[in-house]
Amino acid sequence: MAPNPLHLGVALDGAGWHPAAWREPGSRPADLFGPAYWTDLVAVAERGLLDFVTIEDSLAVPGARHEAGEDRVDRVRARLDAHLIAARVAPVTRHIGLVPTVTTTHTEPFHVSAALATLDYTSRGRAGWQARVSATAAEAAHFGRRELRELTAAELAEAVASGVFPDTVRDLFAEAADFTEVVRRLWDSWEDDAEIRDVATRRFIDRGKLHYIDFESRFFAVRGPSITPRPPQGQPVVTALAHAPLIYEFAARSADLVFVTPTRAAGPRPILDQVAAAATAVGRAGEPLRVYADIVVFLDTPAATGPQRLARLNEAAGAEFRSDAGIFAGSADELADLLAEWSGQGVDGFRLRPGVAVDDLTAVTERLVPALQRRGLFRTGYPGGSLRALLGLPGTVPNRYATA
């Protein structure tokens, strides 16, 4: 195997990332909201020895923001809770990391901290989290506690291009950074050996090894400690999806791993430079921020080539598929070449978005992974251990509150 083998994850989103994916013959639309669909998908990913699955979620109805015809009924317009999907999948998997998306807006960090710590226990050290803000007025209206002025499509495009965001958006990411910090501190609020479980002395815990976090900011005031013991990983893996310098800075402050979206034409180098600049700007120290490139994939299958499948899906949707991430349509060998090339440019790993969940995830497992293995670029078995260890992150994270 190569000295630096590829890290490979997959992003699951309903029937797939193409809006017409649910209409494909193998997509199982009747099963989308049943447990077997999700356990089957993650089993396929684990059979392919992938590092992790992320599970998409949002407080908004699925669909592209600012998309015309938001009430159209030819799309999947519902979703299950990502964290609860991960909780269902955890007991029936053994090695693959489970990374649900959880919003940092309209939720409470105390609840999220306990929920993710519980997932780390039920998965035996394989939990992660994709932190996401909820920036739309419709999402705020679900809760009625505050109003958000939503950027228009033109304003959003200009902000991403210029890197200059209005204060309302900057506040959302400042809140997200505080939220993530509270979650991390609550994970540390129990020392690793705080549980005594001594029946003879009638002491279940050593109260001296539980700590108040006493976090205060303009967004949160949380005393702690958590009601859940420190997770098996100490600090489950924190991830974020980022498209602009403001969000790269959030990831550099708060995350272990950032998903980025280079285009096929430009490649990852410009974004890698921006992420490095963001890490310097926020003074990140210690472990470097891992950078994973997102790619939407439509792979060749026995029935049709990737380009043929994408063309058929576009025809069914009545529009050309567009994505924030680069789009690949072709053979597994061609995709393996692309991953090797981008890895050589400094990308730490990849998160593939299956255009059609069932078909393309199967092709990743049965065609792409063997193509990478033939090149010596991918493992032939799981090494065992936590998700942090699988990703090459430090397996032991010191507890900030532990006493000598």
Side-chain angles (χ1 to χ4, degrees):
M1 184 177 288
N4 297 305
L6 294 181
H7 286 285
L8 197 61
V10 67
L12 301 180
D13 187 15
W17 286 82
H18 196 289
W22 69 277
R23 297 161 68 180
E24 287 290 279
S27 283
R28 302 171 58 185
D31 298 333
L32 278 177
F33 304 117
Y37 175 79
W38 294 96
T39 56
D40 289 350
L41 281 182
V42 179
V44 171
E46 189 168 59
R47 191 164 67 244
L49 307 176
L50 303 188
D51 290 40
F52 59 81
V53 296
T54 62
I55 305 167
E56 291 301 299
D57 205 352
S58 170
L59 299 176
V61 174
R65 285 180 66 183
H66 310 297
E67 182 181 48
E70 62 179 17
D71 294 326
R72 60 191 300 174
V73 297
D74 62 341
R75 310 285 176 89
V76 176
R77 307 291 285 176
R79 65 167 80 249
L80 297 180
D81 181 278
H83 176 264
L84 294 178
I85 291 172
R88 173 64 183 86
V89 169
V92 296
T93 53
R94 296 182 59 192
H95 303 288
I96 195 165
L98 304 173
V99 185
T101 299
V102 183
T103 183
T104 60
T105 317
H106 314 300
T107 55
E108 293 294 337
F110 190 91
H111 295 153
V112 170
S113 173
L116 292 168
T118 301
L119 179 62
D120 206 40
Y121 275 103
T122 58
S123 66
R124 300 173 297 281
R126 294 180 286 120
W129 168 37
Q130 182 177 334
R132 175 175 292 175
V133 303
S134 297
T136 69
E139 290 169 288
H142 293 324
F143 299 90
R145 292 198 291 262
R146 59 177 164 175
E147 295 182 358
L148 290 176
R149 191 191 80 78
E150 186 174 348
L151 299 186
T152 66
E155 289 173 329
L156 182 61
E158 181 181 353
V160 170
S162 67
V164 179
F165 287 82
D167 288 343
T168 53
V169 176
R170 301 187 73 86
D171 281 349
L172 285 174
F173 284 99
E175 178 186 48
D178 282 358
F179 189 113
T180 309
E181 179 65 15
V182 172
V183 168
R184 286 188 177 277
R185 291 191 186 197
L186 287 168
W187 285 337
D188 278 350
S189 65
W190 288 57
E191 294 185 37
D192 290 322
D193 56 351
E195 298 172 71
I196 302 171
R197 302 173 185 163
D198 190 331
V199 175
T201 63
R202 296 183 295 177
R203 296 177 69 211
F204 186 82
I205 59 173
D206 180 347
R207 189 61 187 81
K209 295 188 175 183
L210 271 62
H211 301 277
Y212 298 118
I213 69 168
D214 290 326
F215 182 93
E216 290 192 20
S217 73
R218 62 191 176 110
F219 302 106
F220 303 105
V222 181
R223 189 183 190 202
S226 178
I227 59 173
T228 308
R230 195 172 193 235
Q233 294 183 98
Q235 291 283 320
V237 179
V238 179
T239 75
L241 171 66
H243 304 90
L246 170 67
I247 318 174
Y248 301 147
E249 290 183 5
F250 161 66
R253 285 190 180 95
S254 303
D256 302 298
L257 189 158
V258 63
F259 303 120
V260 299
T261 54
T263 64
R264 294 285 305 281
R269 190 67 259 168
I271 290 179
L272 290 169
D273 292 341
Q274 292 182 63
V275 172
T280 300
V282 303
R284 183 181 177 106
E287 279 297 309
L289 180 64
R290 306 306 206 265
V291 183
Y292 279 48
D294 274 18
I295 306 174
V296 187
V297 296
F298 300 87
L299 291 172
D300 293 355
T301 68
T305 67
Q308 289 170 339
R309 295 177 56 236
L310 177 56
R312 184 176 69 244
L313 287 159
N314 288 344
E315 183 178 4
E320 182 180 355
F321 175 67
R322 299 184 182 278
S323 173
D324 57 322
I327 301 170
F328 175 88
S331 72
D333 282 307
E334 291 168 335
L335 180 55
D337 290 340
L338 176 65
L339 300 187
E341 178 188 345
W342 282 13
S343 179
Q345 294 183 39
V347 173
D348 294 301
F350 299 91
R351 184 174 70 154
L352 304 181
R353 304 181 186 179
V356 179
V358 173
D359 296 340
D360 286 298
L361 181 55
T362 299
V364 166
T365 292
E366 296 181 355
R367 293 178 176 80
L368 175 63
V369 167
L372 293 171
Q373 290 169 334
R374 287 193 295 271
R375 291 165 168 77
L377 295 175
F378 199 66
R379 68 175 72 89
T380 56
Y382 280 113
S386 69
L387 176 59
R388 294 185 63 87
L390 188 61
L391 298 178
L393 296 167
T396 302
V397 184
N399 187 319
R400 74 191 73 194
Y401 300 115
T403 55

PDB file of all heavy atoms in Angstrom, residues 105-133:
ATOM      1  N   THR A 105     -28.150  25.925  14.935  1.00  0.00           N
ATOM      2  CA  THR A 105     -29.088  27.037  15.029  1.00  0.00           C
ATOM      3  C   THR A 105     -30.434  26.487  15.492  1.00  0.00           C
ATOM      4  O   THR A 105     -30.875  25.454  14.995  1.00  0.00           O
ATOM      5  CB  THR A 105     -29.256  27.720  13.659  1.00  0.00           C
ATOM      6  OG1 THR A 105     -27.987  27.857  13.027  1.00  0.00           O
ATOM      7  CG2 THR A 105     -29.910  29.088  13.784  1.00  0.00           C
ATOM      8  N   HIS A 106     -31.067  27.169  16.433  1.00  0.00           N
ATOM      9  CA  HIS A 106     -32.373  26.761  16.968  1.00  0.00           C
ATOM     10  C   HIS A 106     -32.302  25.522  17.853  1.00  0.00           C
ATOM     11  O   HIS A 106     -33.322  24.968  18.230  1.00  0.00           O
ATOM     12  CB  HIS A 106     -33.400  26.511  15.842  1.00  0.00           C
ATOM     13  CG  HIS A 106     -33.427  27.570  14.791  1.00  0.00           C
ATOM     14  ND1 HIS A 106     -33.711  28.891  15.062  1.00  0.00           N
ATOM     15  CD2 HIS A 106     -33.203  27.518  13.456  1.00  0.00           C
ATOM     16  CE1 HIS A 106     -33.660  29.599  13.937  1.00  0.00           C
ATOM     17  NE2 HIS A 106     -33.352  28.794  12.954  1.00  0.00           N
ATOM     18  N   THR A 107     -31.102  25.029  18.165  1.00  0.00           N
ATOM     19  CA  THR A 107     -30.947  23.869  19.043  1.00  0.00           C
ATOM     20  C   THR A 107     -30.096  24.280  20.248  1.00  0.00           C
ATOM     21  O   THR A 107     -29.578  25.394  20.299  1.00  0.00           O
ATOM     22  CB  THR A 107     -30.281  22.700  18.307  1.00  0.00           C
ATOM     23  OG1 THR A 107     -29.029  23.144  17.757  1.00  0.00           O
ATOM     24  CG2 THR A 107     -31.156  22.173  17.182  1.00  0.00           C
ATOM     25  N   GLU A 108     -29.954  23.363  21.193  1.00  0.00           N
ATOM     26  CA  GLU A 108     -29.195  23.655  22.405  1.00  0.00           C
ATOM     27  C   GLU A 108     -27.958  22.762  22.488  1.00  0.00           C
ATOM     28  O   GLU A 108     -28.057  21.543  22.323  1.00  0.00           O
ATOM     29  CB  GLU A 108     -30.058  23.441  23.643  1.00  0.00           C
ATOM     30  CG  GLU A 108     -31.204  24.431  23.775  1.00  0.00           C
ATOM     31  CD  GLU A 108     -30.723  25.857  24.013  1.00  0.00           C
ATOM     32  OE1 GLU A 108     -29.589  26.035  24.505  1.00  0.00           O
ATOM     33  OE2 GLU A 108     -31.484  26.793  23.700  1.00  0.00           O
ATOM     34  N   PRO A 109     -26.791  23.346  22.766  1.00  0.00           N
ATOM     35  CA  PRO A 109     -25.568  22.533  22.794  1.00  0.00           C
ATOM     36  C   PRO A 109     -25.575  21.464  23.879  1.00  0.00           C
ATOM     37  O   PRO A 109     -24.964  20.407  23.697  1.00  0.00           O
ATOM     38  CB  PRO A 109     -24.457  23.561  23.018  1.00  0.00           C
ATOM     39  CG  PRO A 109     -25.138  24.784  23.558  1.00  0.00           C
ATOM     40  CD  PRO A 109     -26.497  24.786  22.963  1.00  0.00           C
ATOM     41  N   PHE A 110     -26.246  21.700  24.998  1.00  0.00           N
ATOM     42  CA  PHE A 110     -26.283  20.690  26.053  1.00  0.00           C
ATOM     43  C   PHE A 110     -26.946  19.415  25.543  1.00  0.00           C
ATOM     44  O   PHE A 110     -26.444  18.310  25.745  1.00  0.00           O
ATOM     45  CB  PHE A 110     -27.031  21.232  27.270  1.00  0.00           C
ATOM     46  CG  PHE A 110     -26.916  20.353  28.485  1.00  0.00           C
ATOM     47  CD1 PHE A 110     -25.898  20.555  29.403  1.00  0.00           C
ATOM     48  CD2 PHE A 110     -27.794  19.310  28.703  1.00  0.00           C
ATOM     49  CE1 PHE A 110     -25.761  19.737  30.526  1.00  0.00           C
ATOM     50  CE2 PHE A 110     -27.681  18.490  29.801  1.00  0.00           C
ATOM     51  CZ  PHE A 110     -26.657  18.700  30.726  1.00  0.00           C
ATOM     52  N   HIS A 111     -28.085  19.567  24.834  1.00  0.00           N
ATOM     53  CA  HIS A 111     -28.779  18.394  24.303  1.00  0.00           C
ATOM     54  C   HIS A 111     -27.934  17.693  23.244  1.00  0.00           C
ATOM     55  O   HIS A 111     -27.841  16.462  23.218  1.00  0.00           O
ATOM     56  CB  HIS A 111     -30.119  18.815  23.688  1.00  0.00           C
ATOM     57  CG  HIS A 111     -31.084  19.364  24.686  1.00  0.00           C
ATOM     58  ND1 HIS A 111     -32.068  20.266  24.346  1.00  0.00           N
ATOM     59  CD2 HIS A 111     -31.226  19.144  26.008  1.00  0.00           C
ATOM     60  CE1 HIS A 111     -32.778  20.580  25.421  1.00  0.00           C
ATOM     61  NE2 HIS A 111     -32.282  19.907  26.442  1.00  0.00           N
ATOM     62  N   VAL A 112     -27.335  18.479  22.347  1.00  0.00           N
ATOM     63  CA  VAL A 112     -26.545  17.896  21.260  1.00  0.00           C
ATOM     64  C   VAL A 112     -25.328  17.166  21.817  1.00  0.00           C
ATOM     65  O   VAL A 112     -24.976  16.070  21.362  1.00  0.00           O
ATOM     66  CB  VAL A 112     -26.142  18.986  20.250  1.00  0.00           C
ATOM     67  CG1 VAL A 112     -25.123  18.453  19.241  1.00  0.00           C
ATOM     68  CG2 VAL A 112     -27.373  19.519  19.523  1.00  0.00           C
ATOM     69  N   SER A 113     -24.685  17.742  22.824  1.00  0.00           N
ATOM     70  CA  SER A 113     -23.528  17.099  23.431  1.00  0.00           C
ATOM     71  C   SER A 113     -23.888  15.728  23.994  1.00  0.00           C
ATOM     72  O   SER A 113     -23.182  14.739  23.751  1.00  0.00           O
ATOM     73  CB  SER A 113     -22.969  17.992  24.538  1.00  0.00           C
ATOM     74  OG  SER A 113     -21.948  17.335  25.253  1.00  0.00           O
ATOM     75  N   ALA A 114     -24.989  15.658  24.734  1.00  0.00           N
ATOM     76  CA  ALA A 114     -25.396  14.377  25.324  1.00  0.00           C
ATOM     77  C   ALA A 114     -25.788  13.373  24.253  1.00  0.00           C
ATOM     78  O   ALA A 114     -25.467  12.183  24.348  1.00  0.00           O
ATOM     79  CB  ALA A 114     -26.551  14.598  26.294  1.00  0.00           C
ATOM     80  N   ALA A 115     -26.485  13.840  23.212  1.00  0.00           N
ATOM     81  CA  ALA A 115     -26.921  12.935  22.150  1.00  0.00           C
ATOM     82  C   ALA A 115     -25.731  12.337  21.408  1.00  0.00           C
ATOM     83  O   ALA A 115     -25.698  11.129  21.119  1.00  0.00           O
ATOM     84  CB  ALA A 115     -27.837  13.677  21.179  1.00  0.00           C
ATOM     85  N   LEU A 116     -24.732  13.160  21.092  1.00  0.00           N
ATOM     86  CA  LEU A 116     -23.579  12.654  20.356  1.00  0.00           C
ATOM     87  C   LEU A 116     -22.683  11.785  21.238  1.00  0.00           C
ATOM     88  O   LEU A 116     -22.094  10.810  20.762  1.00  0.00           O
ATOM     89  CB  LEU A 116     -22.784  13.819  19.775  1.00  0.00           C
ATOM     90  CG  LEU A 116     -23.512  14.590  18.671  1.00  0.00           C
ATOM     91  CD1 LEU A 116     -22.791  15.882  18.347  1.00  0.00           C
ATOM     92  CD2 LEU A 116     -23.672  13.741  17.417  1.00  0.00           C
ATOM     93  N   ALA A 117     -22.581  12.126  22.519  1.00  0.00           N
ATOM     94  CA  ALA A 117     -21.842  11.248  23.430  1.00  0.00           C
ATOM     95  C   ALA A 117     -22.519   9.881  23.515  1.00  0.00           C
ATOM     96  O   ALA A 117     -21.843   8.839  23.533  1.00  0.00           O
ATOM     97  CB  ALA A 117     -21.762  11.885  24.819  1.00  0.00           C
ATOM     98  N   THR A 118     -23.851   9.873  23.539  1.00  0.00           N
ATOM     99  CA  THR A 118     -24.588   8.606  23.573  1.00  0.00           C
ATOM    100  C   THR A 118     -24.332   7.804  22.303  1.00  0.00           C
ATOM    101  O   THR A 118     -24.128   6.579  22.349  1.00  0.00           O
ATOM    102  CB  THR A 118     -26.086   8.873  23.747  1.00  0.00           C
ATOM    103  OG1 THR A 118     -26.295   9.610  24.962  1.00  0.00           O
ATOM    104  CG2 THR A 118     -26.870   7.568  23.809  1.00  0.00           C
ATOM    105  N   LEU A 119     -24.324   8.481  21.145  1.00  0.00           N
ATOM    106  CA  LEU A 119     -24.020   7.791  19.886  1.00  0.00           C
ATOM    107  C   LEU A 119     -22.615   7.202  19.922  1.00  0.00           C
ATOM    108  O   LEU A 119     -22.385   6.111  19.400  1.00  0.00           O
ATOM    109  CB  LEU A 119     -24.160   8.764  18.709  1.00  0.00           C
ATOM    110  CG  LEU A 119     -23.839   8.194  17.323  1.00  0.00           C
ATOM    111  CD1 LEU A 119     -24.786   7.054  16.962  1.00  0.00           C
ATOM    112  CD2 LEU A 119     -23.895   9.296  16.261  1.00  0.00           C
ATOM    113  N   ASP A 120     -21.682   7.890  20.542  1.00  0.00           N
ATOM    114  CA  ASP A 120     -20.326   7.353  20.630  1.00  0.00           C
ATOM    115  C   ASP A 120     -20.302   6.088  21.487  1.00  0.00           C
ATOM    116  O   ASP A 120     -19.550   5.147  21.192  1.00  0.00           O
ATOM    117  CB  ASP A 120     -19.380   8.410  21.207  1.00  0.00           C
ATOM    118  CG  ASP A 120     -17.936   8.199  20.751  1.00  0.00           C
ATOM    119  OD1 ASP A 120     -17.735   7.854  19.568  1.00  0.00           O
ATOM    120  OD2 ASP A 120     -17.026   8.382  21.570  1.00  0.00           O
ATOM    121  N   TYR A 121     -21.130   6.052  22.523  1.00  0.00           N
ATOM    122  CA  TYR A 121     -21.223   4.834  23.330  1.00  0.00           C
ATOM    123  C   TYR A 121     -21.883   3.707  22.545  1.00  0.00           C
ATOM    124  O   TYR A 121     -21.391   2.566  22.531  1.00  0.00           O
ATOM    125  CB  TYR A 121     -22.005   5.100  24.619  1.00  0.00           C
ATOM    126  CG  TYR A 121     -21.151   5.664  25.725  1.00  0.00           C
ATOM    127  CD1 TYR A 121     -21.195   7.007  26.035  1.00  0.00           C
ATOM    128  CD2 TYR A 121     -20.285   4.850  26.445  1.00  0.00           C
ATOM    129  CE1 TYR A 121     -20.398   7.546  27.042  1.00  0.00           C
ATOM    130  CE2 TYR A 121     -19.485   5.364  27.455  1.00  0.00           C
ATOM    131  CZ  TYR A 121     -19.547   6.714  27.747  1.00  0.00           C
ATOM    132  OH  TYR A 121     -18.756   7.230  28.738  1.00  0.00           O
ATOM    133  N   THR A 122     -23.006   3.970  21.894  1.00  0.00           N
ATOM    134  CA  THR A 122     -23.727   2.890  21.209  1.00  0.00           C
ATOM    135  C   THR A 122     -22.966   2.385  19.987  1.00  0.00           C
ATOM    136  O   THR A 122     -23.151   1.236  19.578  1.00  0.00           O
ATOM    137  CB  THR A 122     -25.125   3.349  20.785  1.00  0.00           C
ATOM    138  OG1 THR A 122     -25.035   4.496  19.919  1.00  0.00           O
ATOM    139  CG2 THR A 122     -25.981   3.712  21.998  1.00  0.00           C
ATOM    140  N   SER A 123     -22.107   3.222  19.408  1.00  0.00           N
ATOM    141  CA  SER A 123     -21.305   2.787  18.250  1.00  0.00           C
ATOM    142  C   SER A 123     -19.921   2.289  18.661  1.00  0.00           C
ATOM    143  O   SER A 123     -19.122   1.927  17.802  1.00  0.00           O
ATOM    144  CB  SER A 123     -21.149   3.946  17.267  1.00  0.00           C
ATOM    145  OG  SER A 123     -20.373   4.995  17.835  1.00  0.00           O
ATOM    146  N   ARG A 124     -19.629   2.318  19.958  1.00  0.00           N
ATOM    147  CA  ARG A 124     -18.330   1.879  20.475  1.00  0.00           C
ATOM    148  C   ARG A 124     -17.175   2.697  19.876  1.00  0.00           C
ATOM    149  O   ARG A 124     -16.208   2.174  19.364  1.00  0.00           O
ATOM    150  CB  ARG A 124     -18.127   0.376  20.237  1.00  0.00           C
ATOM    151  CG  ARG A 124     -19.180  -0.493  20.912  1.00  0.00           C
ATOM    152  CD  ARG A 124     -19.071  -1.950  20.521  1.00  0.00           C
ATOM    153  NE  ARG A 124     -19.295  -2.173  19.101  1.00  0.00           N
ATOM    154  CZ  ARG A 124     -20.495  -2.218  18.521  1.00  0.00           C
ATOM    155  NH1 ARG A 124     -21.590  -2.094  19.255  1.00  0.00           N
ATOM    156  NH2 ARG A 124     -20.614  -2.418  17.221  1.00  0.00           N
ATOM    157  N   GLY A 125     -17.346   4.033  19.952  1.00  0.00           N
ATOM    158  CA  GLY A 125     -16.258   4.920  19.557  1.00  0.00           C
ATOM    159  C   GLY A 125     -16.196   5.258  18.089  1.00  0.00           C
ATOM    160  O   GLY A 125     -15.114   5.544  17.568  1.00  0.00           O
ATOM    161  N   ARG A 126     -17.351   5.296  17.409  1.00  0.00           N
ATOM    162  CA  ARG A 126     -17.338   5.584  15.968  1.00  0.00           C
ATOM    163  C   ARG A 126     -18.176   6.797  15.597  1.00  0.00           C
ATOM    164  O   ARG A 126     -18.554   6.982  14.446  1.00  0.00           O
ATOM    165  CB  ARG A 126     -17.832   4.356  15.185  1.00  0.00           C
ATOM    166  CG  ARG A 126     -16.908   3.150  15.288  1.00  0.00           C
ATOM    167  CD  ARG A 126     -17.422   1.967  14.496  1.00  0.00           C
ATOM    168  NE  ARG A 126     -18.563   1.329  15.143  1.00  0.00           N
ATOM    169  CZ  ARG A 126     -19.762   1.199  14.601  1.00  0.00           C
ATOM    170  NH1 ARG A 126     -20.008   1.679  13.394  1.00  0.00           N
ATOM    171  NH2 ARG A 126     -20.735   0.596  15.259  1.00  0.00           N
ATOM    172  N   ALA A 127     -18.462   7.670  16.564  1.00  0.00           N
ATOM    173  CA  ALA A 127     -19.354   8.804  16.302  1.00  0.00           C
ATOM    174  C   ALA A 127     -18.591  10.031  15.827  1.00  0.00           C
ATOM    175  O   ALA A 127     -17.458  10.292  16.236  1.00  0.00           O
ATOM    176  CB  ALA A 127     -20.149   9.148  17.558  1.00  0.00           C
ATOM    177  N   GLY A 128     -19.249  10.768  14.959  1.00  0.00           N
ATOM    178  CA  GLY A 128     -18.801  12.092  14.554  1.00  0.00           C
ATOM    179  C   GLY A 128     -20.004  12.993  14.436  1.00  0.00           C
ATOM    180  O   GLY A 128     -21.132  12.610  14.763  1.00  0.00           O
ATOM    181  N   TRP A 129     -19.773  14.180  13.925  1.00  0.00           N
ATOM    182  CA  TRP A 129     -20.838  15.175  13.840  1.00  0.00           C
ATOM    183  C   TRP A 129     -20.489  16.169  12.753  1.00  0.00           C
ATOM    184  O   TRP A 129     -19.356  16.647  12.679  1.00  0.00           O
ATOM    185  CB  TRP A 129     -20.959  15.873  15.199  1.00  0.00           C
ATOM    186  CG  TRP A 129     -21.788  17.113  15.246  1.00  0.00           C
ATOM    187  CD1 TRP A 129     -22.941  17.366  14.567  1.00  0.00           C
ATOM    188  CD2 TRP A 129     -21.530  18.271  16.043  1.00  0.00           C
ATOM    189  NE1 TRP A 129     -23.413  18.607  14.901  1.00  0.00           N
ATOM    190  CE2 TRP A 129     -22.578  19.188  15.804  1.00  0.00           C
ATOM    191  CE3 TRP A 129     -20.530  18.606  16.951  1.00  0.00           C
ATOM    192  CZ2 TRP A 129     -22.637  20.430  16.426  1.00  0.00           C
ATOM    193  CZ3 TRP A 129     -20.592  19.841  17.573  1.00  0.00           C
ATOM    194  CH2 TRP A 129     -21.630  20.737  17.320  1.00  0.00           C
ATOM    195  N   GLN A 130     -21.440  16.440  11.872  1.00  0.00           N
ATOM    196  CA  GLN A 130     -21.277  17.533  10.918  1.00  0.00           C
ATOM    197  C   GLN A 130     -22.100  18.707  11.421  1.00  0.00           C
ATOM    198  O   GLN A 130     -23.334  18.662  11.434  1.00  0.00           O
ATOM    199  CB  GLN A 130     -21.729  17.137   9.507  1.00  0.00           C
ATOM    200  CG  GLN A 130     -21.503  18.265   8.492  1.00  0.00           C
ATOM    201  CD  GLN A 130     -21.874  17.869   7.072  1.00  0.00           C
ATOM    202  OE1 GLN A 130     -21.839  16.705   6.715  1.00  0.00           O
ATOM    203  NE2 GLN A 130     -22.236  18.851   6.263  1.00  0.00           N
ATOM    204  N   ALA A 131     -21.413  19.756  11.873  1.00  0.00           N
ATOM    205  CA  ALA A 131     -22.084  20.943  12.396  1.00  0.00           C
ATOM    206  C   ALA A 131     -22.540  21.814  11.228  1.00  0.00           C
ATOM    207  O   ALA A 131     -21.764  22.092  10.314  1.00  0.00           O
ATOM    208  CB  ALA A 131     -21.138  21.721  13.303  1.00  0.00           C
ATOM    209  N   ARG A 132     -23.785  22.268  11.290  1.00  0.00           N
ATOM    210  CA  ARG A 132     -24.342  23.064  10.186  1.00  0.00           C
ATOM    211  C   ARG A 132     -25.225  24.178  10.740  1.00  0.00           C
ATOM    212  O   ARG A 132     -25.965  23.956  11.702  1.00  0.00           O
ATOM    213  CB  ARG A 132     -25.162  22.171   9.251  1.00  0.00           C
ATOM    214  CG  ARG A 132     -25.886  22.936   8.149  1.00  0.00           C
ATOM    215  CD  ARG A 132     -26.579  22.003   7.183  1.00  0.00           C
ATOM    216  NE  ARG A 132     -25.604  21.239   6.411  1.00  0.00           N
ATOM    217  CZ  ARG A 132     -25.935  20.278   5.551  1.00  0.00           C
ATOM    218  NH1 ARG A 132     -27.203  19.946   5.383  1.00  0.00           N
ATOM    219  NH2 ARG A 132     -25.000  19.652   4.881  1.00  0.00           N
ATOM    220  N   VAL A 133     -25.131  25.351  10.134  1.00  0.00           N
ATOM    221  CA  VAL A 133     -26.026  26.436  10.523  1.00  0.00           C
ATOM    222  C   VAL A 133     -27.323  26.335   9.723  1.00  0.00           C
ATOM    223  O   VAL A 133     -27.360  25.739   8.639  1.00  0.00           O
ATOM    224  CB  VAL A 133     -25.388  27.819  10.306  1.00  0.00           C
ATOM    225  CG1 VAL A 133     -24.077  27.939  11.057  1.00  0.00           C
ATOM    226  CG2 VAL A 133     -25.193  28.121   8.825  1.00  0.00           C
TER     227      VAL A 133
END
